[in-house]
Amino acid sequence: MAGAADDTPSVVVVGSINVDDVAEVERIPRPGETVLATASRRNVGGKGANQAVAARIVADDVAFIGRVGTDAHGDFLRAGLRDHGVDAAMLRAVDGHESGAAHITVADGENTIVVVGGANQAWDTLDDSEVARVGAAAVVVCQLEIPPSVVDDTATHTRGRFVLNAAPAGPVSTPTLQRCDPVVVNEHELGALTGHEVGDIASVTTAAASLLAHGARSVVATLGAAGAVWVTGGGSGHTPAPTVQVVDSTGAGDLFVGVLAGRLATGASMAAAVADAVAAASVSVGAVGTIDSYPSREEL
Ligand code: RIB
């Protein structure tokens, strides 16, 4: 497997990284309403960064490729990745742009997130060294918080397994979809990508299978409390989630993607990788925080 015999990372995440400013509130404010936070915190976030931190729970070699500004937030984000054991050598600073930021409110198991893309949107393609790093990885992960041209470029240069988290919901080019193994979506994103009405497990499986018909090599659909459904060319399955009290689901989807990718990189089957990803996400939603709520390798 690429990445195993030499010194290159087994998982490379190409994606977004944000400073998350999180306010805990008693309830999400309505339009025009002001509420007071009961607690607040600042942490490393962004779907890409969260997924890299999550992959590192199960995989030893994880690298992140992305963009920050030349501001102090960029240093904070780089240090945060390194603190979590992620190789941040290819987190580049872009002149004239601010680092990405996310404004998050959390109340009673629900959240709202507004992302200001900043430097995450300030690139078009991978540079030569990034192409080499992507080409050498066993598993490469992207999401849709970076420009579509970067996602397409990454898919083109992946020689191992390409995992796309199609979040936030948005279009995916046909050549990129055809590289996905798997494309990971929640119910909303699955509906947006396929035009299918999704509700019960059977309808989710049908919609996911329709993405295979459009060229995806495999599909994983996350269903929150109902677990996850996976579909490959060889079959399909549903992994239920344990019943847990949801305290804060922020970043749980990213944890799912990162653990899934990390386990696939270590040679796990799709069924086994999905089972571990469901288990990890179930732990995370029971605690406050995004990457702070992720389980350790031992806990998982
Ligand atoms: O999925 C959660 C993430 O979405 C947050 O960390 C925030 O930065 C946004 O990218």
Side-chain angles (χ1 to χ4, degrees), residues 18 20 45-47 50 102 113 115 145 251 254:
N18 299 325
D20 282 0
K47 296 188 190 309
N50 295 343
I113 304 178
V115 172
E145 279 186 338
D254 302 330

Side-chain angles (χ1 to χ4, degrees), residues 73-239:
H73 284 175
D75 298 334
F76 168 77
L77 293 170
R78 184 173 292 101
L81 281 181
R82 288 184 175 147
D83 286 349
H84 285 88
V86 175
D87 178 352
M90 290 186 176
L91 178 62
R92 315 251 195 247
V94 188
D95 273 336
H97 292 271
E98 294 187 347
S99 299
H103 306 278
I104 301 176
T105 49
V106 178
D108 209 12
E110 297 198 307
N111 64 57
T112 64
I113 304 178
V114 177
V115 172
V116 182
N120 291 300
Q121 295 296 328
W123 51 330
D124 298 320
T125 58
L126 303 176
D127 67 25
D128 288 348
S129 59
E130 291 166 343
V131 165
R133 180 62 70 93
V134 161
V139 172
V140 178
V141 184
C142 272
Q143 338 69 39
L144 302 182
E145 279 186 338
I146 54 176
S149 60
V150 179
V151 176
D152 290 342
D153 199 32
T154 303
T156 298
H157 290 103
T158 298
R159 298 286 166 261
R161 191 167 193 154
F162 182 68
V163 176
L164 176 66
N165 176 214
V172 178
S173 72
T174 299
T176 292
L177 184 65
Q178 290 173 344
R179 291 283 304 150
C180 292
D181 192 11
V183 55
V184 186
V185 284
N186 64 21
E187 289 166 274
H188 171 66
E189 293 147 2
L190 181 61
L193 263 186
T194 61
H196 285 231
E197 288 272 327
V198 291
D200 59 10
I201 300 297
S203 66
V204 169
T205 306
T206 301
S210 78
L211 286 175
L212 255 59
H214 283 93
R217 298 174 190 182
S218 58
V219 180
V220 176
T222 60
L223 307 173
V229 162
W230 53 270
V231 180
T232 70
S236 63
H238 169 228
T239 304

